[in-house]
Amino acid sequence: QVQLVESGGGLVQAGGSLRLSCAASGRTAGYSVVSWFRQAPGKSREFVSAIMWTYNATYYADSVKGRFLISRDNAKKTVDLEMNDLKPEDTAVYFCATSPKQIGTVLRSPAAYTYWGRGTQVTVSS
């Protein structure tokens, strides 16, 4: 069993920055990837970014590429998402997720993930 807890959300003006953090606890050995998703009101959950636990590979949605940066601290079991140049369309609840399975080919799909945090709200005002 794995628990994920997100933090760092808030209200920011367009052009500003926020740093989200996802803290994992429990049995994470063998887990391959931790990802961030977001869900805006009335919309489906969408992939934002992913990072592999044991080797240097990161992935980003086109909408955030060049603005967001994902990183991890294996010792602390945390995955951070630094968000820069935020836009009103980035407003959403942000979730982190992980899976005990090797989901490399489908890591952009929410259905591939087993464990989810409760989310943290990010609101970007124009």
Side-chain angles (χ1 to χ4, degrees), residues 21-123:
S21 186
C22 173
S25 60
R27 295 174 61 91
T28 59
Y31 284 51
S32 62
V33 61
V34 173
S35 297
W36 285 95
F37 288 79
R38 66 187 182 187
Q39 188 165 17
K43 295 188 176 181
S44 57
R45 196 164 295 190
E46 66 172 358
F47 172 79
V48 175
S49 183
I51 189 166
M52 310 308 286
W53 268 125
T54 58
Y55 60 94
N56 291 327
T58 57
Y59 306 87
Y60 296 93
D62 288 343
S63 59
V64 306
K65 201 171 294 184
R67 299 188 297 123
F68 290 12
L69 181 67
I70 193 169
S71 61
R72 59 173 162 77
D73 185 324
N74 289 53
K76 296 181 180 179
K77 293 201 282 188
T78 57
V79 174
D80 288 355
L81 185 69
E82 182 179 339
M83 308 186 295
N84 301 306
D85 190 23
L86 283 161
K87 304 176 181 182
E89 51 263 43
D90 294 318
T91 295
V93 178
Y94 284 69
F95 301 87
C96 62
T98 191
S99 172
K101 302 177 182 178
Q102 298 299 313
I103 60 171
T105 58
V106 291
L107 59 79
R108 295 172 187 262
S109 171
Y113 292 80
T114 306
Y115 299 107
W116 292 83
R118 293 189 174 184
T120 185
Q121 176 71 46
V122 171
T123 303

